[in-house]
Amino acid sequence: MGCSGCRVRFNFGRALSRVSVFFAMVLIFTYFFYCLTGFCDTAPRTLYAQQTQNRDYDILDDNRRILDDLRPPPRLRLHLPDAPSLRNGTDPADTEQVNLPGQMPHHMLDSAKDGAKSNDMPVSNTFGTKKFPQAIIIGVKKGGTRALLEFLRIHPDVRAVGAEPHFFDRFYDKGLEWYRNLMPRTLDGQITMEKTPSYFVTKEAPGRVCTMNCHTKLIVVVRDPVTRAVSDYTQTLSKNPGLPSFQSLALKNSSTGLIDTTWSAVRIGLYAKHLENWLQHFPLSHFLFVSGERLVSDPAGEMGRVQDFLGLKRVVSDKHFYFNQTKGFPCLKKPEGSSRPRCLGKSKGRPHPQIPSEVLQRLRDFYRPFNHQFYQMSGQDFGWD
């Protein structure tokens, strides 16, 4: 009887063991089935796997950098863009900041973001290469350079820095590689551009640009020097309301009526003198002189000349512009994907202060011989007299 009880307990234990093995096999089979059908991908990855993935990504980045470094340098005909400020005017508050190689200066970030938003034909940051600009808008301040740049950015074959790099006048010591890293990436057939109006009046700029590339195309937007001086003064006055009157700055002595050429607002308008400096390094054929007045009255016509000069197909035309009566200058029509038309900011189109007519006449008389000299040098009569 005792042996019979042992036998029953032994058989029950064997049965329980078989059931456990059966369930274990079912679980193992189920696990392999789910793995084979892909459901295991949702399981958390091990730290080692994540580290391996990150390392592979870093290696790919390093390989890309190495390939960029191994690419041959751009042909000499390519032109460099400038490196510092973002506005036509130079703010006294703008201070040079130390940046790592290839890092955009802090004062350029906002303008660069605005430029990226306004570019209708963006190129992905991961495609193309950074090149020195083939063309630079070198001047002049308050002549219409910002309008020209924004109009050009409509063109799908133009990639431009939204900010003013000021490389050839303020950040030259940072080196060409720093400058090149500021440029947007471009694909084959696209042109890299930048604009810094202060280059035109900077004595060292022509030689520095030529050192980079003596085949660079140079665009100068010029405007009646008297109107330009008043616009320049208006911009400065908006930032410094305590500024002396225009006439006290423009005239050395109110009784003699002598013009003070040491004042930058007056000096910039001596276009012939500044052009002489550039012609020591570049032939006249490398320049295009754009009329700031015609850029307002006939933007499509002036843009046609600019596109021809750059060797671009005439894409920017009348259909892209409308005249804004409030601002007093042309704006870009609503681009695709945008909710409204695009106009230059509030800093453009400010009302000018009232200047005594006799002061303006003295300035016109002063500029007249320089204007005629500039007409002869450039081969264009801008009709400012």
Side-chain angles (χ1 to χ4, degrees):
M1 190 73 179
C3 292
S4 175
C6 291
R7 189 177 298 110
V8 170
R9 286 193 297 272
F10 178 76
N11 290 337
F12 178 78
R14 291 178 61 187
L16 183 63
S17 176
R18 290 176 180 175
V19 170
S20 299
V21 171
F22 174 78
F23 276 107
M25 292 181 67
V26 170
L27 290 174
I28 292 171
F29 175 81
T30 302
Y31 175 79
F32 278 110
F33 175 79
Y34 272 75
C35 286
L36 289 172
T37 55
F39 284 92
C40 289
D41 289 345
T42 59
R45 299 185 181 181
T46 65
L47 178 61
Y48 174 79
Q50 294 175 4
Q51 291 174 340
T52 302
Q53 183 183 23
N54 292 338
R55 184 167 64 249
D56 291 341
Y57 179 81
D58 293 339
I59 291 173
L60 289 174
D61 275 355
D62 289 340
N63 288 341
R64 292 189 188 101
R65 295 189 190 100
I66 292 172
L67 288 174
D68 282 343
D69 291 338
L70 290 177
R71 284 190 177 94
R75 289 174 289 180
L76 286 179
R77 68 181 181 83
L78 297 182
H79 200 69
L80 292 174
D82 305 350
S85 89
L86 307 180
R87 303 194 241 340
N88 282 348
T90 300
D91 294 342
D94 285 348
T95 55
E96 181 175 347
Q97 309 218 11
V98 178
N99 300 283
L100 297 175
Q103 180 180 353
M104 182 171 286
H106 291 267
H107 73 284
M108 295 179 66
L109 292 178
D110 291 340
S111 292
K113 290 176 183 176
D114 292 341
K117 292 177 183 177
S118 65
N119 197 338
D120 296 334
M121 300 293 292
V123 176
S124 170
N125 289 335
T126 59
F127 294 96
T129 57
K130 295 190 174 188
K131 303 174 183 177
F132 293 124
Q134 294 100 315
I136 302 177
I137 301 172
I138 61 173
V140 299
K141 179 183 177 184
K142 306 308 295 180
T145 59
R146 171 55 59 183
L148 175 61
L149 184 69
E150 291 306 310
F151 296 166
L152 274 171
R153 289 164 73 89
I154 302 172
H155 202 294
D157 291 334
V158 172
R159 297 286 290 153
V161 181
E164 292 176 8
H166 284 275
F167 176 68
F168 295 106
D169 61 347
R170 282 201 266 155
F171 294 104
Y172 193 66
D173 60 335
K174 291 185 178 292
L176 289 175
E177 187 61 19
W178 178 87
Y179 179 58
R180 184 173 71 89
N181 283 331
L182 295 179
M183 298 300 111
R185 293 180 180 273
T186 54
L187 303 174
D188 289 343
Q190 290 184 317
I191 291 178
T192 303
M193 292 189 66
E194 71 114 327
K195 77 108 177 170
T196 304
S198 55
Y199 290 162
F200 189 60
V201 299
T202 300
K203 184 178 180 181
E204 299 81 10
R208 290 171 175 177
V209 175
C210 189
T211 297
M212 177 197 75
N213 178 10
C214 287
H215 296 280
T216 300
K217 293 184 177 181
L218 307 168
I219 300 177
V220 187
V221 188
V222 289
R223 182 184 184 187
D224 183 336
V226 177
T227 309
R228 196 221 66 81
V230 175
S231 180
D232 196 337
Y233 172 79
T234 304
Q235 177 180 352
T236 308
L237 184 65
S238 69
K239 301 171 185 177
N240 182 13
L243 197 68
S245 66
F246 180 88
Q247 50 267 37
S248 65
L249 294 171
L251 304 179
K252 289 183 179 180
N253 187 301
S254 58
S255 59
T256 61
L258 293 176
I259 303 299
D260 189 355
T261 57
T262 63
W263 186 32
S264 63
V266 170
R267 190 175 63 253
I268 291 174
L270 301 174
Y271 304 145
K273 296 297 183 184
H274 304 306
L275 182 57
E276 283 179 351
N277 187 33
W278 282 87
L279 290 176
Q280 293 178 16
H281 301 271
F282 292 89
L284 188 62
S285 60
H286 286 200
F287 292 85
L288 177 68
F289 301 97
V290 175
S291 167
E293 287 84 7
R294 286 196 294 270
L295 200 58
V296 172
S297 63
D298 182 20
E302 283 300 280
M303 288 305 300
R305 295 180 59 242
V306 175
Q307 291 170 97
D308 292 345
F309 175 71
L310 295 175
L312 297 170
K313 181 180 178 180
R314 288 199 175 194
V315 171
V316 185
S317 62
D318 281 320
K319 68 181 181 181
H320 292 98
F321 302 100
Y322 78 97
F323 191 82
N324 187 304
Q325 296 291 344
T326 303
K327 288 183 173 289
F329 53 74
C331 296
L332 297 173
K333 290 182 180 178
K334 173 183 171 182
E336 284 191 35
S338 177
S339 59
R340 58 181 180 178
R342 192 166 81 235
C343 267
L344 298 180
K346 295 180 180 179
S347 63
K348 308 300 180 182
R350 297 187 187 97
H352 291 178
Q354 289 292 327
I355 310 295
S357 58
E358 59 270 18
V359 175
L360 296 178
Q361 187 57 51
R362 286 177 180 176
L363 271 176
R364 290 191 182 94
D365 294 339
F366 167 77
Y367 278 123
R368 187 171 293 108
F370 296 102
N371 290 344
H372 289 172
Q373 184 182 2
F374 180 66
Y375 298 166
Q376 293 177 350
M377 295 173 69
S378 64
Q380 291 179 238
D381 186 339
F382 292 89
W384 296 324
D385 302 309

